[in-house]
Amino acid sequence: SISMTKTNEEKEGNEEKFTIVTSFYPMYIATMNIVDGADVNLKNLSEPKTGCLHDYQLTTEDMKLLSTADVFVVNGGGMEEFLSDVVAKYPKLTVIDSSQGIEIEDDNAHVWMSIKNHIQQVENITKGLCEANPENASIYQENSAKYIDKLNEILNKEDDSLKGNNVMLFSEAYEYLADDFGL
């Protein structure tokens, strides 16, 4: 019973913190870069090895985790097919759709694979977090600017000798990346 008490105390302490849940690993990484140094709980819904969420099924544990969340950060664009179930179950949960304003090509929701699109996603997540948790807004904005600078560095290092080369893609996920680099 001592460990139960300790677990309950830890849980109560954590529940007081603003809790952010992300749908899958790319959203977790983006959000982690934005919230670094803020006194928040950041959790990821799926295992890092899950990859894309095309066929992901919510578990009871997932629903328990979402019940503790203040914000749920999703890729959007149809990636999280289970999203309507979450919204129906938790209508007061703030959902940040990181792909808002990004053109989804041919139902290909892998928008994070484009550095340009990912920058827009970071901006969308930052805006949503600032609105939902204004006491940490300055941290979110500062971290977001730093992360976007890093992403722009990568984008600006592109090799012009690659442009125009034909490539064979084995997944639709890479279409956005190929577009970024003119392949």
Side-chain angles (χ1 to χ4, degrees), residues 27-69:
M27 296 304 96
Y28 178 82
I29 294 298
T31 305
M32 181 185 68
N33 277 281
I34 296 165
V35 304
D36 185 40
D39 190 23
V40 300
N41 286 325
L42 176 60
K43 305 282 184 179
N44 192 44
L45 189 67
S46 61
E47 294 292 320
K49 62 185 175 188
T50 301
C52 295
L53 297 176
H54 295 296
D55 299 317
Y56 189 77
Q57 298 293 316
L58 289 173
T59 66
T60 304
E61 290 300 312
D62 293 338
M63 296 306 276
K64 286 180 186 176
L65 176 59
L66 287 167
S67 75
T68 68

Side-chain angles (χ1 to χ4, degrees), residues 161-167 169 175 177-183:
S161 68
L162 297 176
K163 286 187 178 176
N165 285 325
N166 292 323
V167 293
L169 304 176
E175 290 175 12
L177 187 62
D179 286 346
D180 274 358
F181 292 100
L183 301 173

Side-chain angles (χ1 to χ4, degrees), residues 1-152:
S1 81
I2 294 173
S3 64
M4 291 269 298
T5 306
K6 183 176 180 187
T7 302
N8 289 338
E9 287 172 7
E10 288 174 356
K11 186 176 180 185
E12 287 173 13
N14 285 341
E15 284 180 356
E16 292 174 14
K17 288 184 182 181
F18 189 78
T19 300
I20 304 162
V21 176
T22 57
S23 59
F24 71 127
Y25 205 57
M27 296 304 96
Y28 178 82
I29 294 298
T31 305
M32 181 185 68
N33 277 281
I34 296 165
V35 304
D36 185 40
D39 190 23
V40 300
N41 286 325
L42 176 60
K43 305 282 184 179
N44 192 44
L45 189 67
S46 61
E47 294 292 320
K49 62 185 175 188
T50 301
C52 295
L53 297 176
H54 295 296
D55 299 317
Y56 189 77
Q57 298 293 316
L58 289 173
T59 66
T60 304
E61 290 300 312
D62 293 338
M63 296 306 276
K64 286 180 186 176
L65 176 59
L66 287 167
S67 75
T68 68
D70 295 296
V71 170
F72 186 34
V73 176
V74 300
N75 180 75
M79 181 62 67
E80 294 90 352
E81 293 180 10
F82 56 80
L83 191 54
S84 60
D85 294 338
V86 172
V87 172
K89 178 79 174 167
Y90 305 109
K92 293 183 180 180
L93 178 63
T94 299
V95 177
I96 299 173
D97 179 348
S98 69
S99 67
Q100 188 172 25
I102 297 173
E103 185 178 337
I104 308 295
E105 299 176 17
D106 301 321
D107 294 325
N108 179 356
H110 300 88
V111 294
W112 74 91
M113 294 292 291
S114 160
I115 298 169
K116 293 173 188 175
N117 287 343
H118 190 63
I119 289 169
Q120 179 65 52
Q121 289 184 292
V122 170
E123 290 171 349
N124 289 339
I125 295 167
T126 303
K127 179 181 178 201
L129 289 176
C130 288
E131 289 172 3
N133 184 229
E135 49 275 2
N136 284 313
S138 62
I139 293 171
Y140 300 151
Q141 290 165 342
E142 183 179 327
N143 288 341
S144 178
K146 288 178 187 176
Y147 186 42
I148 289 171
D149 284 347
K150 288 179 186 178
L151 293 169
N152 276 319

Side-chain angles (χ1 to χ4, degrees), residues 153-165:
E153 277 182 43
I154 295 167
L155 189 60
N156 294 329
K157 285 185 179 180
E158 67 182 78
D159 184 349
D160 286 337
S161 68
L162 297 176
K163 286 187 178 176
N165 285 325

